[in-house]
Amino acid sequence: EYTVGQGGMSLWARMPEPVSTALAATAPSHGVVLAAGPRFGVQGAFERFVRLPYTQPPVALRRAVASVAAAYDALALGRNLHEPRLVV
């Protein structure tokens, strides 16, 4: 999910799992640098969010989106993020 910020030039993307910091750590190996959500809050706030600026040309943004998706998929494979969870 994403929300366009008011008065800014970025999106806040909400992920289904609190993996923002791990995604930001994984992303450079896929060619993109991300700002993890907790960087913009205190005490672990926004761990489900990443900030995605959209000020680059469309070609660069398409590459960035593909890179973020690849990083998320790599992270998901390592942490089974796509597997259903049983909550008891």
Side-chain angles (χ1 to χ4, degrees):
E1 298 176 17
Y2 69 90
T3 303
V4 178
Q6 293 180 349
M9 296 171 112
S10 62
L11 301 174
W12 276 97
R14 183 180 187 275
M15 297 172 290
E17 297 279 337
V19 294
S20 179
T21 300
L23 180 61
T26 302
S29 65
H30 295 273
V32 67
V33 177
L34 295 175
R39 180 179 223 181
F40 302 95
V42 295
Q43 297 180 352
F46 309 123
E47 186 58 47
R48 287 183 181 265
F49 293 86
V50 290
R51 183 175 174 267
L52 304 170
Y54 52 85
T55 58
Q56 295 294 315
V59 170
L61 291 175
R62 283 190 284 278
R63 279 196 317 263
V65 168
S67 295
V68 171
Y72 186 83
D73 285 345
L75 182 63
L77 287 174
R79 296 187 59 189
N80 292 324
L81 295 180
H82 297 304
E83 295 294 319
R85 298 226 169 124
L86 175 63
V87 178
V88 182

